[in-house]
Amino acid sequence: MAAEAAKAYYDSLMAGGYGFFVDGVYRSDSIPSSYRDQLVVNAKMYVYELKEEHNGVNDIRIVRSSADSVSKVTNVFLMLCFGDSVNEEIVVPMVEKDGKWLMK
């Protein structure tokens, strides 16, 4: 479930769902709206840079996930497949809060 949630957040980000992506961060509900707005702008800039440097992201794949029972974090490994045929593996730490998986 954590892996599917992480992929959904990144799929949404690449499709322009910047607000959904920011709201998927743990404790995003407790930040000031002005700071949230800055995070949305940062997300837009990140996607823009990926388009400029790598012709965007063509696909996002779940590689694997690893749960840490002590810290209660699940590390999700995603493969970003760029338009210029470069691939990059990223780690997305996920935590569960009230039955919902959020990025840490």
Side-chain angles (χ1 to χ4, degrees):
M1 296 302 286
E4 292 295 328
K7 183 178 181 324
Y9 290 129
Y10 272 84
D11 282 340
S12 177
L13 174 65
M14 298 307 160
Y18 312 113
F20 179 76
F21 180 81
V22 169
D23 293 340
V25 175
Y26 181 63
R27 295 194 175 170
S28 64
D29 56 347
S30 63
I31 61 174
S33 62
S34 60
Y35 182 59
R36 182 188 179 280
D37 293 343
Q38 291 175 17
L39 293 175
V40 169
V41 169
N42 287 347
K44 286 180 186 179
M45 290 188 325
Y46 174 67
V47 172
Y48 176 80
E49 288 175 10
L50 291 180
K51 287 179 183 176
E52 290 295 308
E53 294 176 12
H54 296 289
N55 296 323
V57 175
N58 289 342
D59 193 21
I60 299 170
R61 298 182 193 142
I62 298 169
V63 177
R64 65 186 168 91
S65 63
S66 173
D68 183 339
S69 59
V70 175
S71 66
K72 307 242 187 239
V73 171
T74 298
N75 289 314
V76 176
F77 297 82
L78 298 177
M79 184 68 68
L80 303 182
C81 304
F82 298 109
D84 62 0
S85 75
V86 171
N87 294 331
E88 179 181 0
E89 186 174 277
I90 63 169
V91 180
V92 184
M94 302 290 288
V95 294
E96 189 176 16
K97 180 183 178 194
D98 301 327
K100 183 177 180 180
W101 284 98
L102 300 168
M103 297 176 287
K104 189 161 184 176

